[in-house]
Amino acid sequence: MKKLIIGNWKMNLGLKASLVLAKAVKGIKTNNEVGVCPSAFALAGVKQILSGSQVKLGAQNCFWEIAGAFTGEISAKSLKEIGCAFVILGHSEQRALGETCQRVNLKTKAVLAAGLTPVVCVGEDWAKYKSGKSRAFVQGQIKRALTGIKLNGKKLVIAYEPIWAIGSGKAMRAGEANQMQALIKAEAKKVLGQPKAEVLVLYGGSVEAKNAADFLRQDNIDGLLIGGASLKAQEFKKIANIK
Ligand code: PGA
């Protein structure tokens, strides 16, 4: 089945390096859906390089208002204008800097209103995982992020990223991620009040070419959100091409 593979470049690349990587991945041809999320300053340049490519563009964050006196912020509407297809929201690295579920909720609404797909990130830290509190914690995150949201036929993507697995080289076991993701999908549909809503759930956290197929084989894993490995063009291509 077709999967969604998204590369999250984080704040790892400057403008020049972003354009170089965009050139290296633009030729990807796969049956999966693929996207990359450069830093905001590189979005327009990367979009130009990706013109005619199958690789879609995504942003790493946005603000919830459409326009106005909000120094330093970027609206979902302008991301749409640049040519983005989706926006990552509530990444744990943003949450560590103060991002809240309430703000993720406002941003999710704004992203949907702009005609973009939100990629809402959730996931527990090591202490919660070890004490068996992952499920309750992630359910709470989903509830707070999705309250009052109407998809109206639009697609929602949730990325399940256990914080302890991000950038650590210690991915969650694929079968365990699969179970969590079944729960996440069910919870999201319950909160949305739409059993038939189109909700995709991605796994993220130390995915590399060598373990990606294990995840993509799972029924409840609709794709992957990839950090470190998405910075290596060959590695990212390999993952994007997994059937
Ligand atoms: P990683 O990051 O693949 O480097 O673990 C994933 C993410 O933070 O989205």
Side-chain angles (χ1 to χ4, degrees):
M1 223 185 70
K2 187 174 175 170
K3 304 281 183 170
L4 173 60
I5 314 288
I6 298 178
N8 173 11
W9 296 355
K10 309 192 179 187
M11 203 185 73
N12 286 305
L13 308 174
L15 179 58
K16 265 194 210 156
S18 301
L19 302 182
V20 167
L21 184 55
K23 279 183 194 139
V25 298
K26 71 176 273 192
I28 289 177
K29 284 202 179 58
T30 163
N31 292 325
N32 296 316
E33 202 179 333
V34 190
V36 292
C37 303
S39 291
F41 59 78
L43 286 168
V46 168
K47 178 66 193 173
Q48 242 178 355
I49 289 169
L50 295 181
S51 108
S53 159
Q54 191 198 322
V55 180
K56 294 185 179 160
L57 187 69
Q60 297 177 14
N61 196 4
C62 74
F63 195 58
W64 59 82
E65 295 285 355
I66 293 175
F70 302 104
T71 303
E73 298 294 347
I74 300 172
S75 73
K77 193 173 169 230
S78 42
L79 293 177
K80 171 82 177 174
E81 189 188 344
I82 290 173
C84 286
F86 50 89
V87 186
I88 296 174
L89 298 172
H91 190 282
S92 59
E93 288 153 14
Q94 272 294 313
R95 292 181 191 260
L97 296 173
E99 184 65 305
T100 64
C101 289
Q102 287 69 26
R103 288 171 54 123
V104 172
N105 179 268
L106 291 172
K107 292 178 178 187
T108 303
K109 288 175 183 158
V111 165
L112 287 165
L116 299 167
T117 300
V119 180
V120 177
C121 301
V122 297
E124 78 286 350
D125 63 14
W126 181 247
K128 289 194 187 71
Y129 176 73
K130 280 312 273 180
S131 57
K133 295 190 183 123
S134 308
R135 287 170 175 248
F137 178 75
V138 168
Q139 279 175 323
Q141 281 186 315
I142 291 170
K143 196 166 175 201
R144 290 189 295 275
L146 300 184
T147 296
I149 285 178
K150 293 270 164 292
L151 288 185
N152 297 325
K154 291 175 182 152
K155 181 165 74 179
L156 171 74
V157 179
I158 298 178
Y160 172 54
E161 302 200 298
I163 297 172
W164 50 271
I166 295 177
S168 64
K170 285 193 293 179
M172 183 177 245
R173 280 179 290 113
E176 197 179 357
N178 189 48
Q179 281 181 12
M180 274 299 280
Q181 301 200 190
L183 174 105
I184 287 169
K185 199 175 275 194
E187 183 68 21
K189 290 185 180 186
K190 194 173 113 194
V191 176
L192 293 166
Q194 293 172 270
K196 296 215 171 96
E198 191 182 353
V199 179
L200 303 182
V201 188
L202 314 182
Y203 169 80
S206 296
V207 175
E208 301 169 73
K210 66 174 193 280
N211 63 8
D214 290 345
F215 289 102
L216 293 177
R217 211 175 281 134
Q218 309 289 327
D219 289 349
N220 299 300
I221 300 187
D222 301 310
L224 301 166
L225 182 56
I226 302 163
S230 73
L231 299 171
K232 300 175 209 149
Q234 289 313 319
E235 181 93 357
F236 187 63
K237 272 188 200 173
K238 268 191 208 162
I239 299 172
N241 277 303
I242 293 172
K243 291 205 179 82

